[in-house]
């Protein structure tokens, strides 16, 4: 290939990767490989400057803007950092600095958080705007979503902060939350995210801030931008913003020379595995602001800072087979079974394959291929690519299955979805068992004496086909004994546990039913809002959306579930067995009767209170909460981001629209 064509091909490839990473939040190569290719392109461009494209990925920061959000120009461009991968490159960086500003300077070492960068603007101590990095010059305004991040102050109480400032940091998801929510996604037949970074960035791109609020994100702040320089050093500014109430990472260190930097790196190369969040490297910054200014910037990054990236561990191994799992919602997940291999301290035997396209389009896997497996920021090892040099001639390409591996029903794929699923929810064993196993689980009905294996045995021996059959095991105690699988004591334990589960509160039953998108939190919110199963079954999608944290996707899933006659029958069977389908009444001591006879709807997002808190205030003062706007309504309490349809309806009916502050003023 001519150098010109080589540059062209590399440019196109890197653009695609940039798009996958920034816009789709679904990178298909590792950061390390990306940087290697970028480096290769940069070398070629230096050698043949006549072919340099001004829009080359080496010349721009990269990224794109999602269409649905308002685009905002950054007051100060959001640049990226130069990367280094070994000690020598860092020592070279240190020498460049010395050449420029002499020996009298300090470094601040920080962790490089693996999330998405965010710029926050505060006006008069209030969070005014949150903007993503976008292409570095302008980004998406995502303030409503960012408001759901607890660690980001909406209003500052302490400190001598300026009227206007910008503060930048990294939004990320803790590993625990990532694992929990990803498991929920698998349970709900949704495609799991590959790593917490993609989960965080996918979350920020959502239009439904109720869904964003369900996904706990956090943010470490690491850069202050003001019109007038307030501090002499970066370290002082970090200390100050910590006092203003921002979440600043406490592992940052001030060191006097490059040896201190190298010590910091060596420590965190190991200790990073004990953190509760992912980092992908270390950021090194010159501490003094006037020295930073002296060093200045290149087109895309500051000369006063650099990052050191940890190398993702990668190994080669053989693909033994691709197997398929069917989840309780019918989603089929392909899994690569690998020849066991040691990677980042653990033996890896399996790797995720995500979906059909991963096998047939991206990797184009053949039987017994030798594959590269990596565990970078990823929790679950991932197949990065195939070592084609080692492919044995004549091996067959792996084809995705088109029938359910468990019940042989033809698989379906919904428009626009990546996952295939088995539609035979009433007859497919792993789906039926999975639903019952979910129901008895610790977070749902927590039935002691009944475990996943027992469910499997009881199902295979024709004792239980539906959840409600669990409550008819009492009548079959003798048959259970005859099975010879369980002793008398364990049968009694099982039956006691089943009996006790009848007292589990409605929200646990609701979660246990396993309705798509109804996780623990959503179940609680639905029960708190609708109080009884009958109200819930009768609710329209619009009424569901009026409940706190319930978005369109959940509303649709709930109405679809209750529209199914077999689900209604199952609920009736459970009700007949004595399960709880009414919310536990909390003792309400009325604070006053001031709102007696008045009705309210609360809509939108509020700065100081959650919708549930406002609801409690109204109810404790004798007021009523309605679920939809009608002429009967007395007040609409409106926060930010209220739907325009609601506003229009309230205006049409001449219903007074009040703020949370006005509501509270009515009480005083
Ligand atoms: S400082 C001029 N500090 O890394 C660039 N960035 O590759 C100032 N990042 O876009 C960035 N942890 O999203 C800085 N402690 C840290 C960081 C950090 C993570 C991210 C950030 C930035 C990217 C640059």
């Amino acid at each position: 290939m001519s150098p010109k064509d080589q540059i062209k091909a590399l440019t196109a490839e890197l653009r695609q990767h940039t798009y996958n990473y920034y816009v789709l939040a679904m990178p298909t190569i590792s950061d390390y490989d990306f940087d290697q290719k970028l480096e290769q392109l940069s070398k070629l461009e230096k050698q043949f400057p006549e072919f340099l494209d001004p829009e080359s990925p080496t010349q721009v920061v990269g990224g794109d803007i999602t269409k649905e959000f308002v685009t905002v120009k950054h007051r100060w461009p959001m640049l990226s950092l130069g990367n280094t991968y070994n000690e020598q490159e860092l020592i070279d960086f240190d020498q460049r600095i010395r050449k420029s500003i002499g020996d009298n300077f300090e470094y601040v070492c920080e962790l490089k958080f693996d999330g998405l960068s965010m710029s926050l603007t505060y006006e008069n101590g209030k969070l005014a705007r949150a903007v993503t990095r976008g292409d570095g010059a302008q980004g998406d305004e995502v303030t409503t979503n960012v408001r759901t991040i607890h660690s980001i102050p909406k209003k500052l109480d302490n400190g001598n902060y300026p009227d206007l400032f910008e503060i930048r940091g990294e939004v990320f998801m803790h590993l625990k939350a990532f694992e929990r929510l990803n498991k929920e996604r698998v349970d709900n037949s949704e495609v799991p995210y590959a790593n917490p970074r993609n989960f965080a960035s996918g979350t920020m791109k959502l239009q439904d801030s109720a869904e964003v609020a369900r996904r706990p994100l956090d943010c470490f702040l690491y850069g202050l931008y003001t019109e007038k320089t307030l501090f002499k050093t970066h370290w002082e500014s970090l200390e100050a913003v910590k006092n203003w109430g921002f979440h600043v990472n406490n592992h940052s260190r001030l060191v006097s020379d490059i040896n201190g930097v190298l010590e910091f790196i060596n420590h965190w190369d190991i200790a990073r595995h004990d953190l509760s969040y992912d980092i992908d490297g270390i950021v090194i910054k010159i501490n003094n602001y006037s020295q930073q200014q002296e060093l200045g910037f290149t087109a895309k990054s500051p000369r006063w800072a650099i990052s050191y990236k940890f190398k993702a561990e990668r190994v080669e191994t053989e693909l033994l087979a691709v197997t398929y799992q069917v989840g309780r919602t019918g989603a089929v997940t392909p899994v690569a079974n690998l020849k066991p291999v040691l990677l980042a301290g653990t033996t890896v035997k399996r790797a995720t394959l995500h979906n059909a396209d991963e096998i047939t389009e991206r990797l184009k896997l053949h039987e017994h291929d030798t594959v590269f497996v990596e565990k970078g920021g990823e929790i679950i090892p991932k197949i990065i690519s195939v070592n084609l040099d080692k492919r044995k001639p004549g091996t067959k390409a792996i084809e995705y299955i088109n029938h359910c591996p468990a019940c042989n029903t033809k698989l379906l794929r919904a428009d626009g979805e990546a996952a295939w699923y088995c539609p035979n929810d009433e007859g497919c064993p792993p789906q039926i068992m999975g639903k019952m196993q979910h129901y008895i689980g610790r977070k749902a009905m927590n039935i002691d004496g009944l475990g996943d294996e027992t469910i499997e045995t009881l199902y295979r021996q024709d004792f239980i086909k539906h959840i409600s059959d669990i409550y008819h095991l009492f009548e079959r105690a003798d048959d259970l004994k005859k099975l010879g699988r369980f002793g008398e004591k364990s049968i009694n334990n099982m039956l006691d546990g089943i009996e006790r589960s009848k007292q589990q509160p409605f929200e646990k039953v609701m979660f246990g039913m396993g309705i798509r998108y109804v996780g623990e939190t959503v179940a609680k919110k639905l029960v708190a809002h609708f109080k009884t199963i009958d109200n819930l079954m009768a609710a329209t999608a619009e009424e569901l959306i009026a409940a706190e944290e319930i978005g369109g996707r959940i509303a649709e899933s709930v109405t679809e579930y209750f529209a199914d006659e077999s689900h209604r029958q199952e609920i009736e069977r459970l009700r007949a067995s004595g399960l709880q389908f009414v919310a536990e009444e909390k003792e309400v001591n009325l604070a006053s009767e001031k709102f007696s006879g008045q009705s309210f709807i609360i809509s939108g997002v509020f700065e100081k209170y959650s919708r549930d808190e406002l609801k409690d205030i109204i109810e404790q003062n004798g007021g009523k909460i309605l679920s939809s706007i009608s002429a009967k309504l007395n007040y609409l309490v409106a926060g930010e981001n209220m739907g325009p349809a609601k506003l229009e309806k309230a205006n049409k009916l001449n219903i007074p629209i009040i703020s949370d502050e006005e509501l509270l003023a009515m009480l005083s």
Side-chain angles (χ1 to χ4, degrees):
M1 215 192 274
S2 71
K4 188 179 173 187
D5 286 344
Q6 229 176 323
I7 289 179
K8 217 170 136 190
L10 264 173
T11 305
E13 192 188 342
L14 286 165
R15 266 206 196 114
Q16 181 62 44
H17 287 310
T18 310
Y19 177 80
N20 291 347
Y21 186 98
Y22 285 105
V23 181
L24 304 182
M26 286 223 182
T28 51
I29 61 166
S30 67
D31 290 2
Y32 180 77
D33 284 355
F34 181 91
D35 291 331
Q36 293 287 309
K37 283 182 197 283
L38 197 68
E39 180 70 3
Q40 196 188 344
L41 177 60
S42 170
K43 269 193 192 142
L44 277 167
E45 285 170 341
K46 279 194 193 115
Q47 233 177 317
F48 304 98
E50 65 272 31
F51 303 134
L52 176 77
D53 175 354
E55 301 289 318
S56 160
T58 59
Q59 307 296 303
V60 292
V61 177
D64 207 338
I65 293 136
T66 320
K67 292 291 164 288
E68 300 90 335
F69 291 102
V70 175
T71 305
V72 176
K73 201 169 170 305
H74 294 299
R75 190 184 290 258
W76 294 275
M78 283 183 89
L79 299 173
S80 66
L81 289 171
N83 290 324
T84 57
Y85 290 94
N86 54 47
E87 273 193 18
Q88 191 50 52
E89 285 173 348
L90 273 177
I91 291 167
D92 293 348
F93 167 75
D94 183 62
Q95 270 167 0
R96 282 201 301 278
I97 303 281
R98 273 168 209 290
K99 242 189 186 164
S100 244
I101 59 168
D103 294 339
N104 193 13
F105 64 89
E106 290 169 316
Y107 286 119
V108 175
C109 300
E110 294 172 13
L111 303 183
K112 187 169 190 299
F113 314 106
D114 199 10
L116 71 149
S117 42
M118 190 63 67
S119 159
L120 310 173
T121 301
Y122 282 78
E123 288 170 6
N124 301 315
K126 282 190 179 172
L127 172 65
R129 218 164 17 265
V131 184
T132 64
R133 191 178 103 171
D135 63 4
Q138 50 187 17
D140 292 333
E141 215 242 68
V142 288
T143 318
T144 320
N145 286 350
V146 164
R147 279 185 186 285
T148 68
I149 302 177
H150 294 295
S151 62
I152 293 183
K154 319 303 171 277
K155 191 166 173 284
L156 304 177
D157 294 324
N158 309 316
N160 204 4
Y161 48 80
D163 292 346
L164 175 74
F165 69 89
E166 209 173 305
I167 187 161
R168 291 180 181 168
E170 199 84 353
V171 170
F172 66 97
M173 188 180 275
H174 285 271
L175 294 168
K176 279 244 160 68
F178 168 73
E179 280 162 31
R180 177 172 59 79
L181 292 172
N182 235 8
K183 185 171 174 301
E184 231 177 86
R185 287 181 73 82
V186 173
D187 288 351
N188 287 334
S189 312
E190 292 171 279
V191 181
Y193 283 98
N195 54 43
R197 170 174 31 85
N198 289 2
F199 213 145
S201 112
T203 301
M204 260 317 125
K205 288 188 164 64
L206 295 176
Q207 294 290 325
D208 177 359
S209 57
E211 178 59 22
V212 178
R214 284 193 58 242
R215 306 177 177 188
L217 296 173
D218 200 343
C219 180
F220 282 129
L221 285 310
Y222 48 65
L224 177 68
Y225 293 76
T226 51
E227 288 292 348
K228 276 197 220 130
T229 317
L230 298 179
F231 304 101
K232 281 210 180 77
T233 65
H234 176 56
W235 190 256
E236 277 172 47
S237 86
L238 287 180
E239 289 293 315
V241 301
K242 215 185 277 181
N243 287 330
W244 298 349
F246 289 99
H247 195 196
V248 176
N249 186 265
N250 58 12
H251 296 307
S252 304
R253 291 289 175 267
L254 186 60
V255 300
S256 54
D257 58 20
I258 192 73
N259 291 326
V261 172
L262 296 176
E263 262 172 45
F264 188 83
I265 287 176
N266 290 335
H267 172 75
W268 285 107
D269 197 8
I270 312 268
R272 68 187 159 121
H273 299 296
D274 301 326
L275 290 168
S276 69
Y277 44 85
D278 274 342
I279 61 171
D280 61 342
I282 299 294
V283 182
I284 301 117
K285 301 173 182 173
I286 303 294
N287 189 29
N288 190 293
Y289 282 142
S290 55
Q291 287 177 325
Q292 284 190 4
Q293 227 169 9
E294 215 180 315
L295 287 159
F297 298 85
T298 70
K300 27 177 255 165
S301 53
R303 289 200 182 86
W304 46 262
I306 199 145
S307 80
Y308 172 87
K309 292 265 204 107
F310 296 127
K311 215 166 171 174
E313 281 192 55
R314 171 184 291 198
V315 286
E316 228 183 70
T317 190
E318 189 193 332
L319 172 72
L320 299 177
V322 174
T323 52
Y324 299 85
Q325 288 170 342
V326 184
R328 73 173 157 90
T329 53
V332 176
T333 323
V335 178
N337 293 260
L338 305 168
K339 192 166 167 199
V341 60
L342 200 66
L343 175 62
T346 49
T347 304
V348 173
K349 294 186 198 126
R350 289 144 67 86
T352 164
L353 281 168
H354 300 297
N355 52 46
D357 292 350
E358 178 87 355
I359 299 174
T360 55
E361 302 294 323
R362 189 178 80 80
L363 294 168
K364 299 190 171 65
L365 275 182
H366 280 215
E367 286 171 351
H368 297 288
D369 264 347
T370 300
V371 291
F372 292 109
V373 183
E374 205 173 87
K375 207 172 179 185
E378 265 89 296
I379 308 285
I380 318 153
K382 186 179 157 87
I383 297 182
I384 297 297
S385 58
V386 175
N387 185 346
L388 291 175
D389 295 340
K390 293 200 179 164
R391 177 171 284 167
K392 293 170 200 101
T395 52
K396 270 201 296 182
I398 291 183
E399 282 174 35
Y400 200 79
I401 49 168
N402 42 35
H403 286 82
C404 175
C407 72
N408 210 29
T409 302
K410 198 166 175 1
L411 299 180
L412 299 177
R413 168 142 84 166
D415 270 354
E417 293 221 354
W420 288 89
Y421 72 96
C422 166
N424 182 20
D425 59 336
E426 294 281 321
C428 177
Q431 291 189 57
I432 300 171
M433 285 187 279
K435 284 190 181 82
M436 292 194 276
Q437 286 161 342
H438 168 76
Y439 180 81
I440 63 160
R442 209 167 39 80
K443 289 183 171 174
M445 300 302 276
N446 193 18
I447 304 188
D448 279 342
L450 199 53
D452 287 357
E453 276 176 33
T454 312
I455 289 284
E456 184 163 352
T457 308
L458 295 176
Y459 169 75
R460 298 216 184 272
Q461 300 289 337
D462 276 341
F463 279 81
I464 48 177
K465 286 269 171 281
H466 296 103
I467 289 170
S468 57
D469 296 334
I470 293 175
Y471 296 94
H472 292 283
L473 286 171
F474 297 96
E475 299 138 34
R476 305 193 57 189
D478 286 340
D479 293 338
L480 280 174
K481 273 180 216 160
K482 277 187 213 145
L483 255 189
R485 298 285 291 266
F486 312 106
E488 190 157 344
K489 199 168 162 205
S490 57
I491 293 176
N492 287 342
N493 274 348
M494 186 196 304
L495 296 178
D496 281 352
I498 294 171
E499 183 61 34
R500 266 200 307 277
S501 75
K502 293 181 185 171
Q503 298 313 318
Q504 282 285 66
F506 179 23
E507 62 201 43
K508 300 274 183 188
V509 184
M510 189 68 210
F511 173 57
M513 284 179 344
I515 303 174
R516 205 171 183 203
Y517 307 132
V518 180
E520 261 182 301
T521 321
V522 172
K524 273 190 196 147
K525 298 279 172 192
L526 287 173
V527 167
H529 190 92
F530 290 95
K531 310 280 191 233
T532 71
I533 190 83
D534 295 310
N535 288 345
L536 201 50
M537 287 199 287
T540 61
E542 204 184 21
E543 286 164 345
L544 284 158
I545 291 169
E548 188 164 28
E549 283 194 26
I550 308 300
R553 205 179 54 140
I554 301 172
E556 193 184 330
S557 166
V558 172
T559 48
E560 238 173 52
Y561 183 88
F562 289 125
D564 185 329
E565 189 48 37
S566 67
H567 293 149
R568 286 176 168 259
Q569 284 169 4
E570 175 73 348
I571 286 163
E572 289 319 317
R573 287 192 290 262
L574 288 170
R575 203 199 303 248
S577 291
L579 278 117
Q580 307 300 314
F581 282 111
V582 176
E584 283 172 344
E585 272 307 318
K586 283 189 220 134
E587 280 279 317
V588 187
N589 287 325
L590 284 193
S592 83
E593 297 275 350
K594 286 206 171 118
F595 290 154
S596 163
Q598 313 265 36
S599 61
F600 299 80
I601 282 187
I602 308 165
S603 184
V605 183
F606 299 85
E607 198 169 294
K608 285 198 192 136
Y609 302 94
S610 74
R611 289 210 292 265
D612 274 343
E613 281 169 336
L614 291 175
K615 192 168 153 229
D616 281 347
I617 293 173
I618 291 171
E619 287 176 342
Q620 278 164 14
N621 289 285
K624 252 196 158 163
I625 305 287
L626 300 189
S627 56
S628 62
I629 300 180
S630 69
K632 283 188 289 182
L633 179 68
N634 296 103
Y635 295 99
L636 175 65
V637 189
E640 266 180 60
N641 258 34
M642 195 180 79
K646 261 191 194 149
L647 200 64
E648 200 187 315
K649 200 164 173 191
N651 279 330
K652 235 188 209 160
L653 294 169
N654 267 334
I655 289 164
I657 300 172
I658 58 170
S659 67
D660 50 345
E661 278 166 14
E662 285 167 308
L663 174 85
L664 296 173
M666 283 160 69
L667 281 175
S668 57

